[in-house]
Amino acid sequence: MNQQDMSILHLVLNASWVVQAVMLLLMGVSIASWAAIFRKFFALRRIKALNEDFEREFWSGTSLNDLFAAAASNAKNAGPMERIFASGMREYQKLRERRVADPGTLLDGARRAMRASFQREMDMVESNMSFMATVGSVSPYVGLFGTVWGIMHAFTGLSALAQVTLSTVAPGIAEALVATAIGLFAAIPAVVAYNRFSRDIDRVSIHQETFIEEFSNILQRNLGAQSASGH
């Protein structure tokens, strides 16, 4: 058995059609997984940058009304934190327009609007995560299925031979093991990326929840000041 016969390409081309189908499926899944990984990487980086820009503007002393006007005019390009802020301010202003004077009702309405917006934003941030988790958990087993099938096919072919040597057994087993290798090639990056992105998403979530609490405290202080001036 020369080196050319044992090349990866030669092993793939000479595998049984079931093993080839498994390899093709896993390669397609791997490509889709890498595409999802790159999309998620750039999306999370953009979210982090937009949130930091808005938070810097929020704490710069700009009035809430000016921030809300800017958020409303820039809704399509706004980050998650800016949209959460806009949802809270929108509900707050609607309740004020309806002559709602109770500070608790105003604050609860704004908080509920921000929590609902927060859940929508997190659903978007977590998109494709379940796909990466599925690739990471299922791909090795799909590859193992291809390996088991390939070994069964190899031994079935060897049963007709009078004498079995390592040179006759090795190609069939090597062909089958390529399926497991491709399965691991698809699974390992997906698992690593899933763990990394899960940590990043948790940080985004905590950051946005902290902002909701801080903004709620600002609204509460403003309402307290207005009530005091009214008295």
Side-chain angles (χ1 to χ4, degrees):
M1 185 63 61
N2 58 45
Q3 190 68 27
Q4 182 63 28
D5 291 338
M6 292 297 291
S7 67
I8 298 296
L9 180 60
H10 186 271
L11 293 174
V12 170
L13 294 177
N14 285 276
S16 66
W17 69 269
V18 174
V19 178
Q20 287 181 339
V22 169
M23 293 176 182
L24 184 63
L25 173 63
L26 289 173
M27 288 302 296
V29 168
S30 179
I31 293 170
S33 175
W34 275 106
I37 289 170
F38 280 112
R39 283 199 304 270
K40 181 59 65 180
F41 173 78
F42 289 113
L44 286 175
R45 192 167 69 170
R46 180 175 181 271
I47 286 170
K48 182 180 178 181
L50 289 172
N51 282 350
E52 288 178 350
D53 289 344
F54 173 73
E55 196 169 24
R56 193 179 303 111
E57 183 70 18
F58 181 82
W59 293 110
S60 66
T62 306
S63 71
L64 296 179
N65 289 331
D66 290 343
L67 286 171
F68 179 59
S73 63
N74 192 39
K76 291 184 178 180
N77 298 320
M81 190 178 289
E82 189 171 2
R83 286 194 287 265
I84 291 170
F85 162 79
S87 297
M89 278 296 293
R90 189 178 300 110
E91 184 65 20
Y92 177 80
Q93 291 188 352
K94 284 181 180 179
L95 292 173
R96 292 293 298 270
E97 289 171 359
R98 294 174 185 172
R99 308 298 183 187
V100 176
D102 180 50
T105 302
L106 290 168
L107 187 60
D108 287 345
R111 285 179 62 87
R112 282 196 301 270
M114 285 191 289
R115 296 300 303 183
S117 178
F118 168 79
Q119 291 298 331
R120 287 194 300 270
E121 296 297 334
M122 291 310 300
D123 285 342
M124 293 176 61
V125 171
E126 292 172 356
S127 63
N128 290 329
M129 291 295 290
S130 59
F131 173 71
M132 280 184 273
T134 302
V135 171
S137 60
V138 174
S139 293
Y141 295 104
V142 176
L144 184 60
F145 166 75
T147 295
V148 171
W149 185 277
I151 291 175
M152 289 171 54
H153 183 266
F155 278 110
T156 301
L158 293 173
S159 63
L161 299 179
Q163 183 179 6
V164 177
T165 63
L166 182 60
S167 62
T168 56
V169 175
I173 295 178
E175 292 167 5
L177 290 174
V178 171
T180 295
I182 297 176
L184 293 174
F185 178 77
I188 292 173
V191 171
V192 173
Y194 178 84
N195 292 334
R196 165 67 187 276
F197 293 151
S198 293
R199 186 171 67 252
D200 291 344
I201 289 172
D202 285 343
R203 289 176 181 171
V204 170
S205 176
I206 293 171
H207 197 192
Q208 293 178 167
E209 286 185 316
T210 302
F211 172 77
I212 291 174
E213 295 302 320
E214 291 173 338
F215 181 44
S216 298
N217 290 336
I218 291 173
L219 289 179
Q220 189 172 23
R221 286 196 298 270
N222 289 347
L223 290 169
Q226 291 173 8
S227 299
S229 62
H231 291 301

